Amino acid sequence: MAEAARKRRGQGRSDDHRSGDRLFDRELDHLPAEVRWREWMARVEATIFAASEPVTRDTLARIVGKSCNIDLIIDDIREELRGRPYDLVAVAGGWKHLTRSAYGDAIHAALGTGEQGQKNLSQSEVLVLLTIAYFQPITRAELSAFFGKEISRDLIGNLRGFGLIASGPRSPTAGAPYTYVTTKAFLLQFGFDTLRDLPDIEALEDAGLLSKEKLLAGDIMPGFSSDWEEDAGVAGDE
């Protein structure tokens, strides 16, 4: 009897879920095409606005009709946001409302924080983080070899504490040390949709921001040494 009652309750919840799906009209076939499109735009923008994390394409597909082209919807929303202090940005595998960089100083002056609470990283932390992004999965020892200086556990711990890196697969080298990889928070921090959006190394070299040859030679950027000594430090092997 108890088992039968549980099955009935479970069936009831399943029926309620299917009923809810039927009640939510994704297709909006009863509306004229232009009105239907505007309603899909409103749904998409409202969902992205309400979400604390980037909203994926699969999530948006739940609130619009099968014939709806989500990319065109996003394009139309972004067109309407021209001239506003915020935009709809493809980041970390989804879309998110972000204020425009021109208003970063105003936000910092008012709230004491950057866009979406961005982390204040030192120059050495940024360079180590970018090196991990380009060469992941990478061990701390390999990072130290790149820079010609020992990368401390504290620096790695700071990047982990910010949620910008995480442990990757164990290295197949002797001792099987941990490797490090970037996270979704890294994509959000730098405004990338995927790692494919990273600038190519040649572009960074042209800008004087990253040079594999200099890293391998331990030739850190001019003016970088004091910052490096402060938060890279010296530490033993992990």
Side-chain angles (χ1 to χ4, degrees), residues 133-211:
Y134 278 100
F135 304 112
Q136 62 186 300
I138 188 170
T139 67
R140 189 163 64 86
E142 289 170 332
L143 286 168
S144 298
F146 269 125
F147 290 97
K149 295 177 180 287
E150 195 74 19
I151 304 300
S152 72
R153 291 189 181 92
D154 286 343
L155 189 147
I156 294 295
N158 286 343
L159 295 178
R160 287 181 66 107
F162 286 140
L164 299 172
I165 65 171
S167 295
R170 291 274 192 165
S171 171
T173 59
Y178 285 106
T179 64
Y180 298 100
V181 296
T182 54
T183 64
K184 184 177 179 180
F186 164 79
L187 298 175
L188 282 169
Q189 172 80 10
F190 290 93
F192 297 130
D193 188 16
T194 71
L195 289 173
R196 290 190 296 272
D197 294 331
L198 282 167
D200 60 51
I201 292 179
E202 288 184 1
L204 288 178
E205 288 179 339
D206 291 342
L209 297 176
L210 183 65
S211 168

Side-chain angles (χ1 to χ4, degrees), residues 16-234:
D16 289 344
H17 180 71
R18 286 195 294 267
S19 176
D21 284 347
R22 288 195 297 269
L23 289 173
F24 183 76
D25 185 359
R26 295 177 176 83
E27 302 299 334
L28 302 176
D29 290 334
H30 63 289
L31 296 178
E34 184 176 347
V35 177
R36 180 167 61 246
W37 188 259
R38 297 295 305 183
E39 176 61 21
W40 283 340
M41 285 176 60
R43 289 179 177 184
V44 166
E45 186 171 9
T47 299
I48 295 172
F49 182 84
S52 59
E53 296 291 330
V55 179
T56 65
R57 182 182 301 273
D58 287 345
T59 298
L60 295 179
R62 301 173 193 162
I63 59 173
V64 297
K66 293 179 181 178
S67 64
C68 178
N69 185 313
I70 291 175
D71 292 313
L72 292 181
I73 286 280
I74 295 293
D75 287 345
D76 283 356
I77 294 173
R78 295 194 67 193
E79 183 63 31
E80 292 198 345
L81 293 179
R82 286 183 180 275
R84 304 301 298 271
Y86 53 87
D87 194 6
L88 205 56
V89 178
V91 62
W95 286 279
K96 188 174 180 64
H97 279 102
L98 295 177
T99 51
R100 299 184 191 276
S101 58
Y103 299 96
D105 289 343
I107 293 170
H108 181 75
L111 305 176
T113 183
E115 168 63 35
Q116 304 301 324
Q118 283 191 343
K119 289 72 178 176
N120 292 319
L121 301 175
S122 69
Q123 190 176 23
S124 55
E125 287 170 338
V126 169
L127 194 54
V128 170
L129 181 58
L130 288 177
T131 303
I132 293 172
Y134 278 100
F135 304 112
Q136 62 186 300
I138 188 170
T139 67
R140 189 163 64 86
E142 289 170 332
L143 286 168
S144 298
F146 269 125
F147 290 97
K149 295 177 180 287
E150 195 74 19
I151 304 300
S152 72
R153 291 189 181 92
D154 286 343
L155 189 147
I156 294 295
N158 286 343
L159 295 178
R160 287 181 66 107
F162 286 140
L164 299 172
I165 65 171
S167 295
R170 291 274 192 165
S171 171
T173 59
Y178 285 106
T179 64
Y180 298 100
V181 296
T182 54
T183 64
K184 184 177 179 180
F186 164 79
L187 298 175
L188 282 169
Q189 172 80 10
F190 290 93
F192 297 130
D193 188 16
T194 71
L195 289 173
R196 290 190 296 272
D197 294 331
L198 282 167
D200 60 51
I201 292 179
E202 288 184 1
L204 288 178
E205 288 179 339
D206 291 342
L209 297 176
L210 183 65
S211 168
K212 186 176 180 180
E213 287 72 23
K214 288 183 178 181
L215 290 176
L216 287 171
D219 183 9
I220 307 302
M221 293 184 294
F224 188 71
S225 298
S226 59
D227 184 43
W228 183 270
E229 294 296 338
E230 180 181 343
D231 46 46
V234 175

